[in-house]
Amino acid sequence: EVQLLESGGGLVQPGGSLRLSCAASGFTFSSYAMSWVRQAPGKGLEWVSAISGSGGSTYYADSVKGRFTISRDNSKNTLYLQMNSLRAEDTAVYYCAKVADIVVVPAAIHDYWGQGTLVTVSS
Amino acid sequence: QSVLTQPPSVSGAPGQRVTISCTGSSSNIGAGYDVHWYQQLPGTAPKLLIYGNSNRPSGVPDRFSGSKSGTSASLAITGLQAEDEADYYCQSYDSSLRDWVFGGGTKLTVL
């Protein structure tokens, strides 16, 4: 059974940093790309970042480019999102999602999702 | 303002059929990129409902179906049940933005 468990969320001041983790199990982690998708309170879904199965290719939404860094440790079956220079508009539940391919393709399907971790940016 | 436009809400009585539209443009759906649909039950994470425009993952009832034509896609739900009450999101890829994009979401209410 595929399981994705996010952690690392919390309250942070504007301009601060936070590192999210997503522990994966139930599938061969290195064989699949992964994504982070966020959902602001009461709002819709927004794709944030993606990484290939090898970790060699990374992708970012313009809204987080230069501030967020996605990475993965295939030996630990764990996905990360380093978030710097956080803004109030980054407040959201952050979901990690498994992609149904090893590479990140335009037709990327997010076939499994974690339960999410809440990040609140406020003074 | 989402790149993919969905109606904010739809409703139907138990047993009825409802459809949810997802309207894009020539840089996303109209460019031939696949559309996927996700169901988000209240207080839970999204779940893949339809992939590749019209395919159902294992375990998804055949009451759910998807289609795509031109710059739009649709999700149809037949034999509406109370447990279908949820938010539904479409997703595709936009070549102008070079991003994966979601619709704004549609809240389905079962009357």
Side-chain angles (χ1 to χ4, degrees):
Chain A
E1 179 193 5
V2 172
Q3 290 195 329
L4 300 168
L5 184 61
E6 302 94 336
S7 60
L11 175 64
V12 61
Q13 292 188 339
S17 298
L18 214 53
R19 187 199 201 198
L20 306 183
S21 299
C22 173
S25 62
F27 63 102
T28 305
F29 185 65
S30 60
S31 294
Y32 295 93
M34 299 291 294
S35 272
W36 287 99
V37 178
R38 68 185 180 184
Q39 186 171 33
K43 302 296 184 181
L45 302 172
E46 179 190 15
W47 171 77
V48 173
S49 183
I51 186 169
S52 62
S54 68
S57 298
T58 57
Y59 308 83
Y60 299 93
D62 284 347
S63 57
V64 305
K65 203 170 293 182
R67 300 188 299 122
F68 290 12
T69 302
I70 191 172
S71 62
R72 62 192 297 161
D73 185 335
N74 286 345
S75 68
K76 295 182 178 180
N77 289 351
T78 302
L79 174 73
Y80 302 100
L81 185 67
Q82 177 66 45
M83 303 186 297
N84 299 330
S85 303
L86 283 162
R87 306 166 180 166
E89 54 265 35
D90 295 319
T91 294
V93 173
Y94 284 73
Y95 296 102
C96 73
K98 173 182 168 292
V99 177
D101 287 289
I102 191 169
V103 292
V104 184
V105 296
I109 303 164
H110 296 93
D111 56 356
Y112 291 93
W113 299 62
Q115 285 306 300
T117 187
L118 176 62
V119 172
T120 303
V121 184
S122 174
S123 54
Chain B
Q1 196 81 359
S2 301
V3 172
L4 303 179
T5 301
Q6 297 180 234
S9 63
V10 297
S11 62
Q16 285 190 333
R17 178 181 187 269
V18 296
T19 61
I20 299 172
S21 61
C22 175
T23 303
S25 67
S26 58
S27 62
N28 41 69
I29 299 175
Y33 294 111
D34 281 350
V35 177
H36 317 304
W37 291 89
Y38 302 88
Q39 177 192 58
Q40 187 175 32
L41 296 170
T44 70
K47 168 194 163 186
L48 179 64
L49 194 65
I50 296 287
Y51 68 93
N53 307 314
S54 59
N55 302 289
R56 282 187 308 277
S58 173
V60 173
D62 60 7
R63 301 186 296 104
F64 295 90
S65 63
S67 64
K68 175 186 150 183
S69 177
T71 58
S72 295
S74 288
L75 173 70
I77 310 171
T78 59
L80 210 54
Q81 299 180 4
E83 67 206 49
D84 299 333
E85 195 159 279
D87 293 324
Y88 293 83
Y89 295 90
C90 59
Q91 178 225 313
S92 187
Y93 178 79
D94 190 282
S95 58
S96 294
L97 298 173
R98 299 176 72 179
D99 278 355
W100 288 268
V101 291
F102 287 91
T106 298
K107 181 177 181 59
L108 169 63
T109 300
V110 181
L111 302 171

